[in-house]
Amino acid sequence: MLKRKRIALLLIMALLMSLTATPAWAQSSTAPGVRTLEEALVIAKTHFTVPDNLDEFNSWYNDYQYPAWELNWNNSNGKGYMSIGVNALSGDITSMHQWNETDYQAAGGLQLSLADAQAVAAAKLAALLPDKAGSLRLRDDLTNVNLSGTPSAYFSWERYAGDIPVQGDYVTMTINMRDGSVQNYQMTWNDSPLPAADAAIDAEAAAQAFKDAGMLELQYMLPQEYHIWKDGVSTPLTAIPVYYLRHESQGIIDALTGEPLVNAEGGAVYAEEAPMANDVAKLSGGGGGGVILTPQELQEISATEKLISQEQAIAAVNKWFKLDPNLRLISSSLQADWNDGTRRHWMLTWEYWDDSDYMYADASVNAATSEVTRFYSGSREGDTATGRKLSADDAKKIADKLGAAIAPDKFKLIRAEQMDDMYGDEATQYNFNYIRVVNDIPFYGHGMNITVNRATGEVTSYNLNWDQVEFAPLDGVIDPAAAQQHYLDQSPLDLRYVQFYARDQRTLQLAYVPDFALSDATVFYLDAKTGVAIDSMGNAMTAGRSRQAFNDVAGHFAEAEITLMGQAGLMGEYGEAFMPDEDVTVISLLRALYGLGYGDWYITTDDEEIMRTARDNNLIDASVAAGDNVNREQASVIIIRYLGMQRVADIPGIYATPWQDGSVSAANHGYAALCWGLDIMRGDGVNFHGQQNVTRAETACILLRAMNVRM
C-alpha cells in the first residue's frame, strides 16, 4: 500500500509541476557539463514517445541537489499529460509519468501476462540505465498487478553494492497490460561514495549495540483514534502500555563505529480532552404548547443549559492572556467536539487591521469547565521584535507559572521535554512542550504546549490536550531487555547503505537497519505485555497485499483469470489453495470486487466494514450475511449496481430475454440482461441459470470482465 501511495504522490507532484512550471530562462547560458534544454529533450524523446494530443509544452530547471530538467507536455483541454525528468549532469532519465484520457477509457481485456510485462520492463530498464541496470535487483515481493482503472503491472528494483542493498536508491516502473507502454517510471540514485564494507561489525555486534543504547521506551498509547459515544454517553478510552522506538537514531546502528546513527525523527500518539455527562430526566415531562421534543433534542437542551456564556468564555481568556485592546471579536461559536460529541467548546476569534498593522487571536474554551484549551495570537510583524534578551530559563519560568495557574491539577501530572533550540540566539520565541505522565511512564500527545515571545515575555500560544482516558495497569509488562529481544526477533537488523542527510549534504553510510518483515515500515509499537508488534490502532501488524500463486488451478478453465487475481493479491483466503470449484461467499466476492476497484485497503479490511460499505452502496440489503453463497441472479445485481447502472437496470419492459430458461425474477431481469449484453455473465450461453450458485473460479472471470466495462 505504501508504494501505491508513493506512486500517487509522484503523479500528483508531476501534475502540479506541469501546471506551475516556469519558462527555462534560467538556462540561457548552460554551465560546462550540464545538458541544455535541447539536449534534455533529445534524451527524453529518444526513450519515450510523446502522444500527439499533447499540444502544450513547458520546462522547468532546478539545481536543488543536482542540475535537472523537468519537461512537461499537456493537452490544452485537460485530457492528458506527460512529464519527464532528466538529470542534466548524467543524462539519465529520472522520472516519467503520463496519463491520457483515451487510454484510461479504452475497452478491451489484458493483452500481456505478468511475465510479458516484466520482460517489457526489464528491456526498458536496460535501455534507460545501461550503466546502472547491472546494480539493480528486482524486488519480487513488491511486484504487483493493479486491475482498477487501466490494468497495469508494477515493478520495483533496489540498488545493490555487491550483496549489500543501498536503501533509498531504487527504480520503479508501471507497465500498461493492454499495450505494453510505460505508464510511470521513477529513479532515485545517490552518487556519493560508498564506504568500504570490509571494516563493518557483524550483525550480532550490531544487535548488542541496539540493546545497549536502550532504543525502546515504555509509554502509554491510545489504540483508538476516536471516542466511542452513543446517546450522549461517552465510553472512556483505555490507553495500553507499549514499547516504542523513540531513540533519535530510529534503531539504526553505524556499521563502522558500532554506535547509533543519529539522523531520524520520532512520532507520538495524539488524543484530546474529556467528555461530560448529561442528565435529561428532569425534562422528560415538559409542556411546550403541544410540541413534542425528541430524546436527542432534550439531551442537547440539558447539555447546553449548563454551559458558560460567551461573555464568561471571553473572561476566561482575558484572565490568562493579554489581548490587545484594538482587537475585536469577529467570530464566536459554541461547537460540539469533533472527537467527542458530548463535549462543547466556545470557539472565539478576534481581528484588527488598518493600513499599517494586522493582529489576530483565537481561543478555545471548555464550555463546561471554563478551562482554556487553546490560545494563539499573532500580528503582521510576527515575532520579529528587537531586543531579544529573555533567556530560555527565564522564558520557561513564565511558561511554568502559566501552566501551573491555568490547569493546576494537570500541571502536577506532566513533565517538560527538552526544548528544541535549533535556532539558538536567532530564536524569536521559545517553545516548551510538557508531556503527561501516568504510572511513571509518558503518555505522548497529552499535555501542554506553551510558546513565549523572547522579546516581550508574553505567551503567544498555548495548547492543552487532555482527554478522559483509562489506563491499563502495568501488571505483566515485560522488562526492557525482553522487549529489545522481541523487537529484534520481529525486526532483525540488516546491513545496508543508508541515505544520510546532514544540512545540505546527502551521503551514504553503511549501517544496520531494522527490517520489519510484515510491513514496508519499521515497527513502531510493541505490546508491552506480549511483545507483539502492533499498529496505532492496537492491532497486530500483518502483511498487506502480496502476490499469491495457487497450487490447485493448473489446467482449470479459469486458470488464467485465477492466476491474475492471485497476482493482484486477491481471493487468497485459503493461502496457496484457491478452491476454484467451491461456491463463493458474499464477503469473498465483495472483498475482491472492492479490491479490484479501489485497491489495497479492502484486502485486509474486516468483514463487517466491507459488508457495511456494500450496504451503504446498496449492493446488498440488510438480510444478506457475509457467509451466504451467491447465485447468478444475485451476482448480476451486485455487479451492475457496483458499475453504477442501477437506474438503467430498474427500467421495466425495455430488455429482451436472450436466455431460454426462466431462472431470473422479473424484479432483477434488467440486471441479468445487462450482464448478458456486456458479456460479464452469460450462464452456459443458452440458459442464464439464475438460481445456480457462482463458484470462486466463475467469480474471478466475472469480476475481470466487469472491470473491462467502460461507461
Side-chain angles (χ1 to χ4, degrees), residues 148-395:
S148 59
T150 302
S152 59
Y154 171 89
F155 304 97
S156 178
W157 295 264
E158 186 172 20
R159 179 187 176 189
Y160 274 74
D163 289 326
I164 302 175
V166 183
Q167 187 163 306
D169 281 7
Y170 61 87
V171 175
T172 63
M173 195 181 303
T174 305
I175 302 296
N176 185 319
M177 296 181 74
R178 285 202 184 103
D179 60 16
S181 63
V182 179
Q183 288 182 316
N184 298 289
Y185 161 82
Q186 184 71 34
M187 186 266 279
T188 299
W189 200 277
N190 188 336
D191 289 319
S192 300
L194 294 168
D198 52 4
I201 61 175
D202 59 27
E204 184 177 350
Q208 189 59 52
F210 182 97
K211 296 175 182 178
D212 292 343
M215 294 286 185
L216 305 182
E217 179 185 54
L218 180 63
Q219 60 180 243
Y220 274 110
M221 186 266 283
L222 198 62
Q224 293 174 295
E225 185 176 357
Y226 304 106
H227 264 290
I228 301 172
W229 63 285
K230 183 178 181 181
D231 297 332
V233 178
S234 175
T235 301
L237 304 178
T238 299
I240 62 174
V242 297
Y243 279 99
Y244 173 68
L245 181 57
R246 188 167 172 77
H247 195 276
E248 56 187 339
S249 70
Q250 286 295 281
I252 301 174
I253 303 296
D254 190 314
L256 301 180
T257 67
E259 298 294 329
L261 185 59
V262 178
N263 188 43
E265 297 180 357
V269 179
Y270 179 79
E272 281 208 26
E273 195 188 327
M276 63 184 218
N278 288 320
D279 179 8
V280 298
K282 64 179 181 178
L283 295 175
S284 59
V291 176
I292 299 175
L293 301 181
T294 67
Q296 293 77 19
E297 291 165 341
L298 292 173
Q299 287 175 351
E300 183 70 7
I301 292 170
S302 176
T304 56
E305 72 171 2
K306 301 174 184 177
L307 306 180
I308 63 174
S309 66
Q310 178 197 88
E311 291 74 19
Q312 290 171 312
I314 294 173
V317 176
N318 280 306
K319 179 178 179 181
W320 304 112
F321 301 100
K322 181 179 179 181
L323 288 172
D324 190 282
N326 290 316
L327 287 169
R328 66 183 185 89
L329 188 69
I330 63 167
S331 173
S332 174
S333 62
L334 182 62
Q335 299 181 8
D337 193 285
W338 69 272
N339 189 36
D340 179 3
T342 66
R343 186 176 59 215
R344 304 293 192 278
H345 285 278
W346 278 105
M347 312 297 291
L348 308 166
T349 302
W350 296 265
E351 275 189 348
Y352 169 78
W353 66 90
D354 60 20
D355 293 338
S356 62
D357 197 11
Y358 172 78
M359 293 182 291
Y360 171 88
D362 70 44
S364 174
V365 181
N366 187 307
T369 66
S370 299
E371 188 172 56
V372 180
T373 57
R374 189 187 77 249
F375 173 78
Y376 172 79
S377 65
S379 68
R380 179 181 296 166
E381 299 298 325
D383 292 316
T384 59
T386 58
R388 304 185 184 100
K389 55 188 178 182
L390 195 66
S391 69
D393 289 341
D394 289 339

Side-chain angles (χ1 to χ4, degrees), residues 456-468:
T456 65
E458 293 181 6
V459 173
T460 56
S461 74
Y462 167 84
N463 277 282
L464 174 66
N465 297 318
W466 211 276
D467 212 338
Q468 179 180 317

Side-chain angles (χ1 to χ4, degrees), residues 26 71 87 89 130 149 176 211-212 243 245 253 333 354 365 407 411 434 453 471 520 552 554 560 629 659 685:
L71 313 174
N87 184 318
L89 278 180
N176 185 319
K211 296 175 182 178
D212 292 343
Y243 279 99
L245 181 57
I253 303 296
S333 62
D354 60 20
V365 181
F411 196 78
Y434 302 84
N453 185 294
F471 293 88
D520 288 334
D552 58 350
N629 295 132
W659 54 86

Side-chain angles (χ1 to χ4, degrees), residues 113-125:
S113 67
L114 180 62
D116 294 335
Q118 183 172 323
V120 170
K124 193 66 176 179
L125 180 71

